[in-house]
Amino acid sequence: MDYTFSEFSERVSKDSGIVRLMQDLDVGLSPGSKTFFLGGGNPAIIDEVLDAISEANHDLLDSPEEYARAFGIYDHPAGNVAFREVLADYFSRKFTALIRKENILITNGSQSSFFLLFHLFAGKFQNGIKQVLFPILPEYIGYHDLGLFPDMFTAMEGKVRPLQKHRFVYEIDKEKLMAMLQDHHHEIGLLALSRPSNPTSRVLEKKILDEISTVTKKYSIPVLIDNAYGYPFPGVIFTEGEYEWHENFILSFSLSKLGLPGLRTGIVVAEETVIERLSQMQGIFSLSPGGIGPALVKKIFEANKMDDLCLSHVLPYYREKSKIAQNVIDDLLAKTRYFLHESQGAFFLWLWLPDLKISAEELYKKCAAEGVIIVPGHYFAPKRTWPHLEQCIRISLARPDKELVVGLSLLCKIILENI
Amino acid sequence: MDYTFSEFSERVSKDSGIVRLMQDLDVGLSPGSKTFFLGGGNPAIIDEVLDAISEANHDLLDSPEEYARAFGIYDHPAGNVAFREVLADYFSRKFTALIRKENILITNGSQSSFFLLFHLFAGKFQNGIKQVLFPILPEYIGYHDLGLFPDMFTAMEGKVRPLQKHRFVYEIDKEKLMAMLQDHHHEIGLLALSRPSNPTSRVLEKKILDEISTVTKKYSIPVLIDNAYGYPFPGVIFTEGEYEWHENFILSFSLSKLGLPGLRTGIVVAEETVIERLSQMQGIFSLSPGGIGPALVKKIFEANKMDDLCLSHVLPYYREKSKIAQNVIDDLLAKTRYFLHESQGAFFLWLWLPDLKISAEELYKKCAAEGVIIVPGHYFAPKRTWPHLEQCIRISLARPDKELVVGLSLLCKIILENI
């Protein structure tokens, strides 16, 4: 049939970074694939995590009543009540704060959490339009198409701070942020940032988060901290993970990066009024979130195994990968001008190539032609207005050593041919 | 904090039928609850279904590679490829049509399917606004808030056709539908109907569906047939289930009403171009759908067990419930003027009380005060413009016999006090 499609569908069907990434991921990770997959953020399969979840699954099968509850009854629109109670206890200890089940929402993965949050705090309001502000670009590829209304996002470029040779970090431009809030606070509904940053791995310091809370609270603007890779689980942070939960902070967590993306379980922690609104929206959009992830992972928390899984298995795995990958790049690109973002956590290296003669998009295509999948930098911003990002790429570290090293070697060869 | 919330959140936070229903459901079905739950559409727990899924779960645990794939890797944004292949084969046989995996999308439950479809075919378009048309009210409570844009829905009242004493059916007003399409086809993006109807149980005849296809195809308007309770699974149809898949039909299916709502697995069958668009949207909104439901239920299809589960266990269970409930009502309301919609399928009875002295909403409250949960009729329309619905209630049949009979007796007592 010759249908016409909505404005939203037309907009995203042309060029969505996250759609391309998820399609590349499915092809790259399918059995028999010959690609070197340094693209999307699929976690590694870590045996100890899989053992823990299958043990929980055996347990669940051994309790017919519990099994029937998990499979046979819709959870509350805010998510399984018993799981939220266990999480409330866990988060209260981690953030030294009183966190109750009424502060917790379970979702079908953190992408779904962001969708709910962005449409609660941005889009059409009674007095006009509000936007989500990303205070430090580059920022997560999956945020930028996640608005049904056009122009839901605005952003500030990160400031490049050079470190020792071949290394740098991005910093928040605090003065610009304060000026922005002062001039535009009526148009900003939410600040959002990932910690560690996806793609750069930047772990914003506790002190900086405290400052952000202070300036945003003044204007009653909430701040989303996306901990998909961070504190307290999966805990892939090479610096300091802990920070304080301020009343205008909204915390997002995910089970995916532990190695369990098939469960599609996300968690939001926020003030009760926010959770209530999100719960209504989730009831409307999907009745209730999935019940299997909560039923299984609750057992891992109850057995007090979560922190050990993260600290003894997940964190060391990715720290080692980061070292291996940095060694390959430092070795093969030694004679060129290149800068890696200091590796502070997550599963990624962020590589800046100021002398690249082609765009990152063209580099992506040349790499793909040789079976190496990366993600070009321009996708990590809501608009294509920062030329710097055309010189950057994100490299995922989750694949086995051999695939990682061979893929990186091929990548470096292609880079050297285009510099 | 003193936040302001988006227009959408403000709109739905006031009075959403589906939010109230899901909250009632969680309270009503929690362990130790003393209510008689004739409200939301939670399916019964049917032992044979639970046995089949736990057998599949044991199988999955016995195949470590398959287990790791299901839990540890994101599925394609359109859903697990192997599951879609199995479904393509199954649906091709059921609809005597060539249905390929490219015609199939997996979602996080059919509520999520509707959200995607409504925002693909309605809302803002390049040339203005389009609406979803419900051609036969009353219609599913969960549709009516499911639009981020205001006024996304329009509807036509069903025509009451009296049957034998105390029974009636709703019919589509075909002439009005044709006139509506002729005058407003530019403003209508999608027709949507549930079959069996939730709430009335009406199973629109194959011939009527053929006619609907003919008139809508003329204007390139797609038609969503929501088979949550219907053909081919869970197959809770007391009349004829089979019908033809026309090229402008979009079919929605769910695993929930089999007795597996915790899995949150929905399925959409449509033309390839439609599935491609939906897949992009799903990638953006949730990366990919859950992987556990597909991994488990695939095994039930592969073992050719689905049809037998439906025909030998699910269908007889609800047919029996419907008879029991009709007997109680016919018995206790015998001396009043009341009309039940002919019971053609699904888990509901729809009761019309023309002499009710209070509104259905007030009846709901009086019942709730005595521990009986029902759903008042006015929620089954996008706007409160049809007074007839204030005289109607939906009664769910899924609970055990004793709870059903005692709940119905209490309900009839309260009705008699208010007539």
Side-chain angles (χ1 to χ4, degrees):
Chain A
M1 300 294 301
D2 187 23
Y3 296 132
T4 51
F5 298 110
S6 66
E7 196 183 59
F8 172 78
S9 171
E10 290 297 332
R11 181 160 22 105
V12 296
S13 73
K14 274 165 210 147
D15 179 30
S16 162
I18 191 69
V19 170
R20 181 200 270 183
L21 181 151
M22 291 307 294
Q23 286 168 349
D24 278 353
L25 187 154
D26 185 70
V27 175
L29 299 185
S30 286
S33 162
K34 291 269 161 56
T35 59
F36 303 94
F37 190 72
L38 316 179
N42 203 96
I45 288 170
I46 291 176
D47 290 341
E48 289 79 2
V49 172
L50 217 57
D51 289 349
I53 202 80
S54 60
E55 195 185 315
N57 197 348
H58 277 293
D59 268 14
L60 188 66
L61 277 161
D62 290 343
S63 326
E65 261 186 52
E66 219 186 319
Y67 198 81
R69 175 68 186 79
F71 282 75
I73 299 185
Y74 289 97
D75 277 332
H76 188 280
N80 186 281
V81 174
F83 184 46
R84 284 157 60 213
E85 278 166 356
V86 168
L87 286 174
D89 184 50
Y90 176 83
F91 285 126
S92 292
R93 279 181 281 121
K94 290 292 164 187
F95 287 92
T96 328
L98 179 61
I99 295 175
R100 298 158 58 234
K101 73 171 190 299
E102 288 78 10
N103 299 111
I104 297 179
L105 178 88
I106 310 301
T107 69
N108 286 322
S110 55
Q111 192 74 8
S112 301
S113 309
F114 307 145
F115 180 81
L116 296 173
L117 283 162
F118 292 175
H119 291 84
L120 178 60
F121 288 112
K124 256 195 107 189
F125 280 64
Q126 275 177 336
N127 308 321
I129 299 291
K130 290 198 187 202
Q131 291 185 305
V132 178
L133 168 64
F134 305 117
I136 176 167
L137 289 185
E139 189 50 278
Y140 172 47
I141 190 170
Y143 294 152
H144 306 299
D145 296 316
L146 201 46
L148 272 171
F149 302 90
D151 289 318
M152 268 174 65
F153 306 105
T154 186
M156 290 170 46
E157 297 164 8
K159 276 202 306 195
V160 170
R161 180 162 65 87
L163 299 178
Q164 74 280 30
K165 205 181 169 196
H166 296 307
R167 292 293 184 277
F168 76 106
V169 288
Y170 293 107
E171 298 288 358
I172 281 201
D173 190 333
K174 285 187 225 167
E175 281 169 28
K176 210 177 145 194
L177 176 61
M178 281 197 279
M180 178 103 170
L181 289 173
Q182 194 164 2
D183 296 347
H184 297 283
H185 58 92
H186 286 302
E187 298 142 46
I188 294 170
L190 177 73
L191 254 71
L193 59 91
S194 52
R195 179 183 189 271
S197 160
N198 173 357
T200 70
S201 88
R202 180 79 172 95
V203 177
L204 283 178
E205 291 77 7
K206 177 183 175 307
K207 189 174 145 286
I208 294 181
L209 295 181
D210 293 341
E211 289 169 8
I212 291 177
S213 170
T214 306
V215 297
T216 49
K217 223 187 268 180
K218 198 171 144 190
Y219 303 108
S220 293
I221 297 174
V223 180
L224 166 64
I225 317 273
D226 168 7
N227 305 284
Y229 297 82
Y231 177 80
F233 55 85
V236 188
I237 290 186
F238 311 147
T239 60
E240 282 292 318
E242 287 184 40
Y243 63 97
E244 200 174 324
W245 180 39
H246 297 284
E247 60 172 327
N248 71 326
F249 275 11
I250 296 171
L251 312 183
S252 168
F253 306 92
S254 168
L255 300 180
S256 297
K257 306 309 175 184
L258 277 170
L260 301 170
L263 289 179
R264 310 306 305 119
T265 300
I267 300 158
V268 179
V269 173
E271 277 195 304
E272 200 174 324
T273 49
V274 173
I275 296 299
E276 210 174 292
R277 294 286 180 141
L278 293 172
S279 166
Q280 289 167 354
M281 289 171 80
Q282 179 156 266
I284 287 168
F285 295 153
S286 49
L287 302 185
S288 65
I292 313 305
L296 295 178
V297 178
K298 180 163 78 81
K299 294 178 181 290
I300 295 179
F301 280 103
E302 282 171 341
N304 253 320
K305 279 197 237 163
M306 184 54 88
D307 290 354
D308 181 57
L309 277 178
C310 297
L311 293 173
S312 305
H313 303 288
V314 181
L315 172 60
Y317 180 89
Y318 292 106
R319 191 160 43 197
E320 184 59 23
K321 293 281 174 189
S322 171
K323 281 185 197 150
I324 292 172
Q326 290 183 66
N327 285 341
V328 173
I329 291 172
D330 284 333
D331 191 24
L332 295 180
L333 295 186
K335 291 184 182 155
T336 66
R337 209 157 67 97
Y338 73 93
F339 302 95
L340 280 171
H341 192 285
E342 186 175 70
S343 179
Q344 301 186 343
F347 309 175
F348 309 110
L349 289 185
W350 177 257
L351 178 58
W352 174 26
L353 300 162
D355 298 333
L356 194 65
K357 286 194 195 123
I358 55 177
S359 69
E361 171 71 17
E362 287 165 310
L363 182 63
Y364 162 84
K365 285 182 182 153
K366 280 181 194 281
C367 287
E370 302 207 23
V372 181
I373 306 296
I374 53 163
V375 185
H378 67 270
Y379 280 131
F380 296 91
K383 281 176 193 152
R384 222 163 156 160
T385 50
W386 193 16
H388 166 72
L389 296 182
E390 313 275 346
Q391 303 173 340
C392 298
I393 59 171
R394 191 190 76 175
I395 300 162
S396 171
L397 308 173
R399 301 294 295 158
D401 288 0
K402 200 183 149 193
E403 182 175 336
L404 179 63
V405 170
V406 178
L408 283 172
S409 309
L410 264 167
L411 168 66
C412 288
K413 177 186 79 85
I414 299 167
I415 288 172
L416 290 172
E417 290 165 3
N418 291 282
I419 233 165
Chain B
M1 300 294 300
D2 187 23
Y3 296 132
T4 52
F5 298 111
S6 66
E7 196 184 58
F8 172 78
S9 171
E10 290 297 331
R11 183 163 17 108
V12 297
S13 73
K14 274 165 210 147
D15 180 30
S16 162
I18 191 68
V19 170
R20 181 200 270 183
L21 181 150
M22 291 308 294
Q23 286 168 350
D24 279 353
L25 188 154
D26 185 70
V27 175
L29 299 185
S30 287
S33 163
K34 291 269 161 54
T35 59
F36 303 94
F37 190 72
L38 316 179
N42 203 95
I45 288 169
I46 291 176
D47 290 341
E48 289 79 2
V49 172
L50 216 57
D51 289 349
I53 202 79
S54 60
E55 194 185 315
N57 198 162
H58 277 293
D59 267 14
L60 188 66
L61 277 161
D62 290 343
S63 326
E65 260 186 51
E66 219 186 320
Y67 199 81
R69 175 69 185 80
F71 282 75
I73 299 185
Y74 289 96
D75 277 332
H76 188 281
N80 185 280
V81 175
F83 184 46
R84 284 157 60 214
E85 278 166 356
V86 168
L87 286 174
D89 184 50
Y90 176 83
F91 285 126
S92 292
R93 278 181 282 122
K94 289 293 163 186
F95 287 93
T96 328
L98 179 62
I99 295 175
R100 298 159 57 235
K101 73 170 190 299
E102 288 77 10
N103 298 111
I104 297 179
L105 178 88
I106 309 301
T107 69
N108 286 321
S110 55
Q111 193 74 7
S112 300
S113 308
F114 308 145
F115 180 82
L116 296 173
L117 283 162
F118 292 175
H119 291 85
L120 178 60
F121 288 113
K124 257 195 107 189
F125 280 65
Q126 275 177 336
N127 308 322
I129 299 291
K130 290 198 187 201
Q131 290 185 305
V132 177
L133 169 64
F134 304 117
I136 176 168
L137 289 185
E139 188 52 278
Y140 172 47
I141 189 170
Y143 293 152
H144 307 299
D145 296 314
L146 201 46
L148 272 171
F149 302 90
D151 290 318
M152 268 175 66
F153 306 105
T154 187
M156 290 170 47
E157 296 163 9
K159 276 202 306 195
V160 170
R161 180 162 65 88
L163 299 178
Q164 74 280 31
K165 205 181 169 196
H166 296 307
R167 292 292 185 277
F168 76 105
V169 288
Y170 293 108
E171 298 288 359
I172 281 201
D173 190 333
K174 285 188 226 166
E175 281 169 28
K176 210 176 145 194
L177 176 61
M178 281 197 280
M180 177 103 170
L181 288 174
Q182 193 164 3
D183 296 347
H184 297 283
H185 57 91
H186 285 303
E187 298 142 47
I188 294 169
L190 177 73
L191 253 70
L193 59 91
S194 52
R195 179 183 190 270
S197 161
N198 173 357
T200 70
S201 88
R202 180 79 173 93
V203 177
L204 283 178
E205 291 77 7
K206 176 183 175 308
K207 189 174 146 286
I208 294 181
L209 295 181
D210 293 340
E211 289 169 8
I212 291 177
S213 169
T214 306
V215 296
T216 48
K217 222 187 269 180
K218 198 171 143 190
Y219 303 108
S220 293
I221 297 175
V223 180
L224 166 64
I225 316 274
D226 168 6
N227 305 284
Y229 297 81
Y231 178 80
F233 56 85
V236 188
I237 290 186
F238 311 146
T239 60
E240 282 291 318
E242 288 184 39
Y243 63 97
E244 200 174 324
W245 179 39
H246 297 284
E247 60 172 328
N248 70 328
F249 275 11
I250 296 171
L251 312 182
S252 168
F253 307 92
S254 168
L255 300 179
S256 297
K257 306 309 176 184
L258 277 170
L260 301 170
L263 289 179
R264 310 307 304 119
T265 300
I267 300 158
V268 179
V269 173
E271 277 196 304
E272 199 173 324
T273 49
V274 173
I275 295 298
E276 210 174 292
R277 294 286 179 142
L278 293 172
S279 166
Q280 289 167 354
M281 289 171 80
Q282 180 156 266
I284 287 168
F285 295 153
S286 49
L287 302 185
S288 66
I292 312 305
L296 295 177
V297 178
K298 180 163 78 82
K299 293 178 181 291
I300 295 179
F301 280 103
E302 281 171 341
N304 253 321
K305 279 197 237 164
M306 184 55 88
D307 289 354
D308 181 57
L309 278 178
C310 297
L311 293 173
S312 305
H313 303 288
V314 181
L315 172 60
Y317 180 90
Y318 291 106
R319 191 161 43 197
E320 184 59 22
K321 293 281 174 187
S322 171
K323 281 184 196 150
I324 292 172
Q326 290 183 66
N327 285 340
V328 173
I329 291 172
D330 284 333
D331 192 23
L332 295 180
L333 296 186
K335 291 183 183 157
T336 66
R337 210 158 66 96
Y338 72 93
F339 302 94
L340 280 171
H341 192 284
E342 186 175 70
S343 179
Q344 301 186 343
F347 309 175
F348 309 109
L349 289 185
W350 178 256
L351 177 59
W352 173 26
L353 300 161
D355 297 333
L356 194 65
K357 287 194 194 121
I358 55 177
S359 69
E361 171 71 16
E362 287 165 310
L363 182 63
Y364 162 84
K365 285 182 182 155
K366 280 181 194 281
C367 287
E370 302 208 24
V372 181
I373 307 296
I374 53 162
V375 185
H378 67 271
Y379 280 131
F380 296 91
K383 281 176 194 153
R384 221 163 157 162
T385 50
W386 193 17
H388 166 72
L389 296 182
E390 313 275 345
Q391 303 173 340
C392 298
I393 59 170
R394 192 191 76 175
I395 299 163
S396 170
L397 308 173
R399 301 293 295 158
D401 288 0
K402 200 183 148 193
E403 182 175 336
L404 179 63
V405 171
V406 178
L408 283 172
S409 309
L410 264 167
L411 168 66
C412 289
K413 177 186 80 82
I414 300 167
I415 288 172
L416 290 172
E417 290 164 3
N418 292 282
I419 233 164

